[in-house]
């Protein structure tokens, strides 16, 4: 029996616990999710370093999963646009059962290996694409079908599973085992197995965006102001990075369609927004490098 499915020998009277004790048990077990991710930090770092040149060359991120794992992939991908201005068309998600499975469980969809393969083939992957395949068991047919098709296309495949020696991690170019063991509630991988997947995917994509120069220092300088809150954030980020007052920062931001990178470079280098935009482009969209050009 898979580790994630094996009944736990701890807390066998869980249903008899007082509510507060029950919550302490559930919460404390989540710390094991973080430990599992930390144990494979080097593997995740290797995945980031392998993915970065492909993505810089124009590749796409493609998340593949079923159930909780698939929904976590969707969540990670859709958050890249507002946080890092990453285009939606370059962060795609394949969820067993289709979009409706995001909200309602589609029974049996995860067992269709050919569906996973055909949906990958429809994307016409290239060698620059990066496919993230997530399955707690590591043996979900839909995910394995997608993996086989992705590998045939020459794309970089990164497999995440919560069981050692899983098929998805063994067959992927890079396998990452999040060994969370059994669950407090037997087989419920929406608990710490799901948490470990969320942390691993979030850490991978965030580190990748840092490598792609979407962050300056620890500031999200490519944030896309899609609402009032984020619009205010662009102003506060620019003020923080430049030390200038709100009026000046807002004025420059308005000139560059609230692109924080461009505003920071224009203010600190005392150049026009147009010149700042051109310099950023010449420096591969790397704000730190663009600022160093001015210093020289």
């Amino acid at each position: 029996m898979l580790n994630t499915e094996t009944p736990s020998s701890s807390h066998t009277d869980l249903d008899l616990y007082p509510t507060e004790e029950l919550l302490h048990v559930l919460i404390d077990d989540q710390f094991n999710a973080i430990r599992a991710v930390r144990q494979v930090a080097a593997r995740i770092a290797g995945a980031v370093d392998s993915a970065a040149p492909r993505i810089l060359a124009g590749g796409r991120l493609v998340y593949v999963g079923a159930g909780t794992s698939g929904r976590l992939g969707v969540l990670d991908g859709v958050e890249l646009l507002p946080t890092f201005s990453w285009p939606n068309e370059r962060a795609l998600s394949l969820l067993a059962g289709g979009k409706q499975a995001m909200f309602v469980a589609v029974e049996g969809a995860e067992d269709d290996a050919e569906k996973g393969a055909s949906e990958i083939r429809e994307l016409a992957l290239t060698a620059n694409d990066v496919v993230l395949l997530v399955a707690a068991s590591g043996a979900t047919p839909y995910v394995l079908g997608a993996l086989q098709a992705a590998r045939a296309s020459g794309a970089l495949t990164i497999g995440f599973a919560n069981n050692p020696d899983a098929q998805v991690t063994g067959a992927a170019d890079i396998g990452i085992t999040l060994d969370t063991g059994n669950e407090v509630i037997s087989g419920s991988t929406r608990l710490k197995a799901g948490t470990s997947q969320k942390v691993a995917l979030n850490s991978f994509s965030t580190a990748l965006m840092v490598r792609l120069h979407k962050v300056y220092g620890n500031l999200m300088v490519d944030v896309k102001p899609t609402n009032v809150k984020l619009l205010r954030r662009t102003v506060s980020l620019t003020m923080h990075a430049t030390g200038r007052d709100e009026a000046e920062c807002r004025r420059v931001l308005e000139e560059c369609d609230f692109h924080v990178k461009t505003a920071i470079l224009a203010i600190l280098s005392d150049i026009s927004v147009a010149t700042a935009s051109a310099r950023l482009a010449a420096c591969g969209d790397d704000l730190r490098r663009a600022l160093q050009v001015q210093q020289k």
Side-chain angles (χ1 to χ4, degrees), residues 42-200:
R43 297 287 293 175
I44 298 174
V48 172
D49 289 340
S50 294
R54 291 171 168 83
I55 298 301
L56 278 170
R60 298 167 291 178
L61 288 172
V62 181
Y63 298 80
V64 182
T68 297
S69 301
R71 295 183 190 103
L72 289 170
V74 173
L75 177 64
D76 199 70
V78 299
E79 290 180 341
L80 297 179
L81 173 66
T83 310
F84 301 110
S85 291
W86 189 252
N88 283 332
E89 62 271 20
R90 294 184 66 192
L92 309 175
S93 297
L94 297 182
L95 175 60
K99 291 183 179 179
Q100 62 177 333
M102 191 69 192
F103 306 99
V104 180
V106 179
E107 301 300 333
E110 68 177 53
D111 298 325
D112 194 341
E114 178 50 39
K115 185 65 171 177
S118 66
E119 290 185 348
I120 279 289
R121 287 193 289 266
E122 288 173 4
L123 298 180
L125 298 180
T126 73
N128 287 328
D129 291 320
V130 177
V131 184
L132 309 173
L133 305 114
V134 191
S137 67
T140 305
Y142 175 87
V143 176
L144 294 177
L147 170 58
Q148 183 178 20
R151 290 211 63 182
S153 73
L156 175 68
T157 55
I158 305 171
F160 296 83
N162 292 90
N163 287 289
D165 304 316
Q167 294 179 60
V168 72
T169 51
D173 296 307
I174 300 173
I176 298 173
T177 301
L178 307 168
D179 191 2
T180 46
N182 52 18
E183 299 284 358
V184 170
I185 298 177
S186 305
S188 182
T189 52
R190 63 181 288 272
L191 297 175
K192 68 174 178 287
T195 299
S196 72
Q197 293 171 6
K198 172 69 168 71
V199 174

Side-chain angles (χ1 to χ4, degrees), residues 237-279:
L237 286 168
T238 306
M239 291 172 63
H240 182 86
T242 63
R244 306 297 176 84
D245 62 31
E246 180 176 352
E248 180 181 1
C249 291
R250 185 176 289 275
R251 175 183 60 78
V252 177
L253 282 164
E254 288 174 350
E255 292 179 12
C256 60
D257 197 25
F258 289 87
H259 188 223
V260 178
K261 270 186 186 178
T262 302
I264 292 173
L265 181 58
I267 291 170
L268 290 181
S269 300
D270 193 23
I271 56 179
S272 69
V273 162
T275 301
S277 180
R279 183 178 296 171

Side-chain angles (χ1 to χ4, degrees), residues 41 44-49 51-52 61 76 80 84 199-215:
I44 298 174
V48 172
D49 289 340
L61 288 172
D76 199 70
L80 297 179
F84 301 110
V199 174
L201 289 173
N202 192 251
S203 299
F204 169 85
S205 62
T206 302
L208 179 61
M209 292 297 129
V210 173
R211 292 281 80 88
L212 298 178
H213 315 304
K214 300 288 185 178
V215 174

